[in-house]
Amino acid sequence: MSSSYASLTSALKQAGLRLTPQRLAICRFLAESREHPTAAMIYEHLRPEYPSLSAMTVYNTLKALVELGQVNALGDCGDDNVHYDADTSPHINLACISCHRIMDLPAPQIEALDGEISRASGYQLLGARLMFYGLCPDCQKTRVL
Amino acid sequence: MSSSYASLTSALKQAGLRLTPQRLAICRFLAESREHPTAAMIYEHLRPEYPSLSAMTVYNTLKALVELGQVNALGDCGDDNVHYDADTSPHINLACISCHRIMDLPAPQIEALDGEISRASGYQLLGARLMFYGLCPDCQKTRVL
DNA sequence: TATTTATTTATATTTATTATAAATAAGATT
DNA sequence: AATCTTATTTATAATAAATATAAATAAATA
C-alpha cells in the first residue's frame, strides 16, 4: 500500500514547500505507479506533459520526499539504479534479477523481528530495507539461462 | 561469520584467476576486517603496503568475488557508498545512521521467511539483503540529535 | 630464454547526481 | 492591480564513483 497522493502533497505543504505543478505531477506518478520508478523514469514519463521539466526538479522533489519520510530510496534492486518506493510501511521488496521488476509483499513478521534485533543488538531501530532477489514467475518460464 | 581467506582465494583460483599479491591482499583484508569496507577503504588501507596499487585492481577483484558469490555488495548502508561484505550466509546487516558502522546479526528466521515468500509470490528466490537502520549503543549515548 | 597470456597500472571516459546561477513563477505588501 | 520579495525551476557546469582502454608488467609455458 503506497503513500497516497494526498499524504505526499500534504507532507510537502506542511514542510513549507510550494505545491507547484511539477511537484504535484511527481507525487501523482509516485502514488499511482506500482513500478518503483527511478528518477530517470519519472523524468521521461512526465516530459510529454511538462516539456520544460528539468531533471534537477525531479531530483530535488525526490530528495525532499525522502527527507520527509514519505518515500524510500532503494539502492539495491539488482540493476544499478536507485528506485523510489512510495510505500514506507514495513514490507518486503522482491526484485526479479531478469526483468528487474520489483514487487511488494506485506510482512507482518517484521515487527517481531524488530523487537528481537533491538534486544540482541542494543540498537535503537529506525527503519529497514528487506530486499529479496529471484526470478519472477514469468521469467522462470521464459528464461533458459 | 565471514568467508575465510582460504575460501575467497580458492574461489578465485577455481575460476582460473591468478592469485597475485594484490588479489591476495584484498582477500586478506576482506576476510579479516569486520568493517564492511568500501572499495576506497580497501584501496587506502593497502596502499602503504602496495604503493603501486591501482584502484582499478580493487574494483576488478571485488567484481570477480561478487560474481563468484563470495562477497556481497551492499548499496544501501545509509551513507552513499557501496560496502562489501564477505559474509554471504543469510544474516542481517545493522547500520548506524550516525557513525555508519555496520554490524552483522545472525538471523535463523530467514529460512522460514524465504519459504513463505516464494510460496506467496511464485518467485524462485536466489538471495536477500536485510538492512536495518538505527542508532548504535554508542551513538545513543553520544548524540543529542 | 623466448613466447604467450593474464594482470596491473595509468589514463581517459562515462554517467548519475549535485552545485550554481540566471530566469521564472508565486505570494505578500502596499 | 503593481511592485517587491522569496521560492522554484531551468539550464549549465562541476563532481565523483565506476568503467573502458591500452600500454607496461608479471607470470606461466614451451
Side-chain angles (χ1 to χ4, degrees):
Chain A
M1 193 203 309
S2 291
S3 282
S4 67
Y5 177 66
S7 64
L8 294 176
T9 57
S10 80
L12 290 176
K13 190 165 198 177
Q14 280 195 310
L17 298 170
R18 291 181 188 162
L19 300 183
T20 63
Q22 294 92 332
R23 285 175 178 163
L24 294 175
I26 291 165
C27 289
R28 198 178 323 121
F29 186 54
L30 282 168
E32 285 172 3
S33 108
R34 203 91 310 112
E35 315 168 34
H36 303 76
T38 64
M41 288 165 71
I42 296 170
Y43 178 62
E44 291 306 332
H45 182 266
L46 296 178
R47 235 144 65 94
E49 199 183 345
Y50 297 86
S52 76
L53 180 68
S54 139
M56 193 70 245
T57 299
V58 177
Y59 283 117
N60 280 338
T61 305
L62 287 170
K63 193 179 182 194
L65 290 168
V66 168
E67 279 166 3
L68 292 167
Q70 295 293 314
V71 165
N72 285 334
L74 308 178
D76 257 336
C77 297
D79 55 14
D80 289 322
N81 304 311
V82 177
H83 292 255
Y84 291 88
D85 188 349
D87 182 355
T88 57
S89 70
H91 68 281
I92 286 167
N93 289 118
L94 242 177
C96 178
I97 60 163
S98 173
C99 67
H100 296 122
R101 255 182 307 204
I102 303 165
M103 65 174 289
D104 292 323
L105 277 184
Q109 310 92 332
I110 295 177
E111 206 166 350
L113 242 187
D114 237 74
E116 292 174 41
I117 292 170
S118 58
R119 207 165 337 101
S121 66
Y123 270 58
Q124 174 189 340
L125 293 186
L126 299 164
R129 298 276 183 288
L130 307 189
M131 287 289 324
F132 284 77
Y133 308 95
L135 284 171
C136 72
D138 286 352
C139 289
Q140 286 175 53
K141 294 177 213 151
T142 309
R143 293 236 306 186
V144 186
L145 220 193
Chain B
M1 194 202 312
S2 292
S3 281
S4 67
Y5 176 68
S7 64
L8 294 176
T9 56
S10 79
L12 291 176
K13 189 165 198 176
Q14 279 195 311
L17 299 169
R18 289 181 189 165
L19 300 182
T20 63
Q22 295 91 332
R23 284 174 178 162
L24 294 176
I26 292 166
C27 289
R28 198 176 325 119
F29 187 54
L30 282 168
E32 285 172 2
S33 108
R34 204 91 310 114
E35 316 167 32
H36 303 76
T38 64
M41 288 164 70
I42 296 169
Y43 178 62
E44 291 306 333
H45 182 265
L46 295 178
R47 234 143 65 94
E49 200 182 345
Y50 297 87
S52 77
L53 181 68
S54 139
M56 192 69 244
T57 299
V58 177
Y59 284 119
N60 280 337
T61 305
L62 287 170
K63 193 178 182 193
L65 290 169
V66 167
E67 278 166 4
L68 293 167
Q70 294 294 315
V71 165
N72 286 334
L74 308 179
D76 257 337
C77 297
D79 55 13
D80 290 321
N81 304 311
V82 176
H83 292 255
Y84 292 88
D85 188 348
D87 182 355
T88 56
S89 70
H91 68 281
I92 286 167
N93 288 118
L94 242 176
C96 178
I97 60 162
S98 173
C99 67
H100 296 122
R101 254 181 309 202
I102 302 166
M103 67 174 287
D104 292 324
L105 276 184
Q109 309 92 334
I110 296 176
E111 207 167 348
L113 241 187
D114 236 73
E116 292 175 40
I117 293 170
S118 60
R119 209 163 338 101
S121 66
Y123 271 58
Q124 174 189 341
L125 293 187
L126 299 164
R129 298 274 183 287
L130 307 189
M131 286 290 323
F132 283 78
Y133 308 96
L135 285 171
C136 72
D138 286 353
C139 290
Q140 287 174 52
K141 293 178 213 149
T142 309
R143 293 234 308 185
V144 185
L145 219 191

